[in-house]
Amino acid sequence: MIQSDLDLFGPEPQHLASQTVLLPGFALSVLEPLLDALRPVLRAAPLRHMQTPGGLNMAVALTNCGALGWVSDAKGYRYTTSDPISGQAWPALPQVLLELAGRAALAAGFEGFVPDACLINQYLPGTRLSLHQDRNERDFEQPIVSISLGLPAVFLLGGLQRSDRTVRVPLSHGDVLVWGGEDRLRFHGVLPIKPGLHSRMGERRINLTLRKAG
Ligand code: MD6
Ligand code: FE
């Protein structure tokens, strides 16, 4: 096969760990429908800076769509069925996002992934996310599908102990990262976003993480 034929199918999946797969550019084919679906979600449930249980303001601005949404406040981290700002249910998970997540999970080897929560994180230049584990979901057998949009980021993929070494994974606009199985509880974080201007998304990075939380 000649190179131009290969290009039609996009770059190959990259296995970063036994059950952690980077799908370069996987979201690009549905980018515009995805952005169209996100606009009303962000109007109904605006991005906000949540408080950590320790009383600090999180640097990342966050909101949710789906039956469940992740929140952090003085009472701790948890999933709720409604947005504490509006008192209304979180906006529904757009079909385009549900389908994209299912296809990405399958491409990474996870069958039958049906998320019920999507965290929407906005990073402005300088914003970072410190090393953490995602452990508020009920079933750690279910993977997480993470979609990166806008400014590039360096994702830190650690091990099962906070002190384990981390590897740096560059994430670009349209990339989808899927992890699950024995990698599900790996520590991870995001280095401070470098200043820049993305042609489609402006001066920000948006990360969507889809989970089966309930
Ligand atoms: C981010 N993502 O990429 C933050 N968590 O902005 C996460 O914290 C994350 O990408 C679990 C699985 C995939 C992720
Ligand atoms: Fe996380």
Side-chain angles (χ1 to χ4, degrees), residues 88-106:
Q88 305 287 309
W90 294 106
L93 196 60
Q95 188 69 16
V96 56
L97 208 42
L98 192 68
E99 286 173 10
L100 176 61
R103 285 192 288 113
L106 195 59

Side-chain angles (χ1 to χ4, degrees), residues 123 129 132 134 144 146 155 179 188 190 205 207 209 211:
Y123 298 71
L129 183 65
H132 67 279
D134 289 14
I144 295 180
S146 167
F155 187 80
W179 65 9
H188 57 279
V190 178
R205 169 176 187 258
N207 175 256
T209 57
R211 300 120 189 270

